[in-house]
Amino acid sequence: MIALLSRDLRLAMRAGGGFGLGLAFFLIVVVLVPFGVGPESGLLARIAPGILWLGALLACLLSLDRILALDWEDGSLDLLATSPLPMEGIVSVKALAHWLTTGLPLVLAAPVFGILLNLPAPGFGWLVVSLALGTPALSVIGTFGAALTVGLKRGGLLLSLLVLPLYVPTLIFGAEVARRGAEGMALGTPLALLAGITCGTIALLPFASAAVLKVNLR
Amino acid sequence: MVLSVSGASVARGGIPVLEGVSLRLSPGEALVLRGPNGIGKTTLLRTVAGLQPPLSGTVEAAPESLVYAAHADGIKATLTVEENLKFWAQVFGTRDISPALDAFCLGPLADRPAGALSAGQKRRLGLARLLVTGRAVWLLDEPTVSLDAEAVAMFASAVRAHLAAGGAALIATHIDLGLAEARLLDLSACRAAPLAADDFDGAFL
């Protein structure tokens, strides 16, 4: 398991691994928004939590099809499936590696990008908390989508269509935590729901991903 | 007995290709699967490896004894030869990769990124993976594709050493491996009868 995790992290860092791609995409989205909606700071401050969450979500989506497709193309997935590692463990490790290379950098970079959107000062902490709680769910749900579409040519688009609706609850509650944090309101309920969704997906989805992957490998 | 297949029927893409396949492998034995293209050699190997269930019949093997080598070698182009082998060694819980490097003359290439290898060298790396797994039964699908005569001899001696150490091998191949002791199994006799699509749902699976 640890071998698989360290291999995936090493592959992400090496040439063509796509590390930083999501981060650069996130930066571009955030920079483009003021061009689109105008530079009025009050408006930007109001939409900043939502834009930051949406940008993080899309940046995460960008790299989902790499989670399993690369291993499927070069045959490693067949070999991993016949190795002593349980399939549930393989997909969990893949999701973790995706989060470490995509989700975690987004969480850490979000405050910097918050400045670009004039996010109110109390919102920075809660933005980081909401992303830290929510992005693991994005990776786990994305791995499930990747398992569903592995082996399909041009599966990336289908993957987006399958996964985006499943991201809705995380987006709603994540952006709500960030918004209420920025406006200094009580945020216990959306925070608990966000954490609940993440825990639920981490607990259940690896089994679903492993099951569909086994069917897809036949 | 390390592997026993009895009366197995296998299907590719929902269409039965082989039926009534029976074979037994004992320690120290190699069995070569023969048959024309499309007869179902790969499908049979994938079924034995556990990637898909047989339609009927049984596949019995000692637990944790099989290792499968497919057409694709599962090599990561940006990792070096050594890193690729070390990864599989860790996955299978073994440590020493030097015998595998030696057996396929990969020592001088150990620090080279696998993406910079030739097709034959990649294949040798893929076969060296079998040695680091420490598994007893090798399931090999066209192992000699893109190997030159010298590398085929290397492969044959690796298989022979594996058999001598009590291992077994099930090999699908078209060419002569120089393994005189290997038994042959011609799958042409097991070709499945063409099936009329009687199951409406099945046509969509």
Side-chain angles (χ1 to χ4, degrees):
Chain A
M1 297 278 211
I2 292 162
L4 182 60
L5 181 64
S6 69
R7 183 196 72 151
D8 274 12
L9 293 180
R10 197 180 294 161
L11 283 172
M13 303 293 177
R14 294 268 163 98
F19 180 73
L21 207 67
L23 209 54
F25 180 80
F26 191 23
L27 174 67
I28 290 175
V29 168
V30 168
V31 168
L32 285 182
V33 166
F35 290 130
V37 302
E40 191 202 324
S41 58
L43 176 64
L44 281 180
R46 207 162 69 242
I47 63 171
I51 296 294
L52 286 166
W53 249 95
L54 207 52
L57 188 144
L58 292 176
C60 196
L61 189 70
L62 202 63
S63 49
L64 286 184
D65 63 334
R66 301 178 64 93
I67 296 180
L68 294 169
L70 295 179
D71 275 346
W72 187 80
E73 274 164 20
D74 65 17
S76 333
L77 206 53
D78 279 347
L79 304 181
L80 280 172
T82 53
S83 76
L85 302 181
M87 194 64 102
E88 290 80 6
I90 293 172
V91 292
S92 303
V93 166
K94 289 266 163 199
L96 178 61
H98 178 261
W99 183 73
L100 287 175
T101 54
T102 311
L104 191 60
L106 291 177
V107 173
L108 298 177
V112 183
F113 297 164
I115 297 171
L116 295 175
L117 289 178
N118 196 29
L119 185 72
F124 284 92
W126 289 114
L127 176 70
V128 172
V129 169
S130 68
L131 281 173
L133 271 178
T135 46
L138 301 184
S139 290
V140 175
I141 295 171
T143 307
F144 174 60
L148 277 172
T149 55
V150 73
L152 295 178
K153 299 273 178 236
R154 310 277 177 279
L157 186 61
L158 182 61
L159 172 61
S160 312
L161 291 177
L162 286 171
V163 159
L164 278 177
L166 299 177
Y167 277 179
V168 168
T170 302
L171 175 64
I172 289 175
F173 294 115
E176 186 69 7
V177 169
R179 188 183 68 81
R180 291 192 178 199
E183 294 175 3
M185 302 195 304
L187 41 68
T189 313
L191 194 65
L193 281 166
L194 181 66
I197 291 165
T198 301
C199 293
T201 53
I202 292 175
L204 295 176
L205 275 182
F207 296 99
S209 307
V212 293
L213 201 52
K214 276 178 195 158
V215 172
N216 270 341
L217 283 180
R218 273 179 198 172
Chain B
M1 191 62 48
V2 289
L3 175 69
S4 135
V5 176
S6 55
S9 301
V10 299
R12 183 178 60 238
I15 300 162
V17 286
L18 289 171
E19 59 188 13
V21 180
S22 296
L23 57 90
R24 298 165 83 78
L25 268 182
S26 307
E29 229 181 355
L31 181 62
V32 171
L33 299 175
R34 285 285 166 89
N37 288 145
I39 188 78
K41 300 186 288 295
T42 297
T43 314
L44 178 61
L45 282 176
R46 289 178 69 86
T47 307
V48 172
L51 284 167
Q52 61 182 64
L55 286 181
S56 61
T58 55
V59 175
E60 282 168 31
E64 308 265 297
S65 67
L66 302 174
V67 57
Y68 172 58
H71 284 276
D73 291 313
I75 290 170
K76 291 294 174 192
T78 48
L79 298 182
T80 64
V81 169
E82 192 182 355
E83 286 170 329
N84 268 298
L85 277 182
K86 276 213 170 119
F87 165 67
W88 288 111
Q90 285 169 337
V91 165
F92 282 87
T94 57
R95 297 216 160 267
D96 196 11
I97 63 162
S98 53
L101 286 173
D102 294 342
F104 288 95
C105 289
L106 290 166
L109 303 170
D111 294 325
R112 199 179 285 191
L117 299 180
S118 77
Q121 288 169 332
K122 277 185 189 155
R123 192 74 218 181
R124 269 153 57 194
L125 174 54
L127 294 172
R129 187 184 69 89
L130 296 166
L131 290 173
V132 304
T133 60
R135 291 281 175 99
V137 185
W138 292 358
L139 307 171
L140 308 175
D141 196 357
E142 304 280 359
T144 52
V145 170
S146 65
L147 290 183
D148 59 12
E150 199 185 334
V152 170
M154 242 182 250
F155 166 70
S157 64
V159 171
R160 213 166 269 137
H162 178 63
L163 298 181
L170 184 61
I171 308 170
T173 185
H174 290 290
I175 71 155
D176 185 21
L177 298 171
L179 282 170
E181 65 272 38
R183 284 187 295 135
L184 283 182
L185 176 66
D186 196 334
L187 290 173
S188 308
C190 303
R191 191 191 292 270
L195 176 86
D198 51 353
D199 179 3
F200 184 75
D201 288 337
F204 291 92
L205 290 177

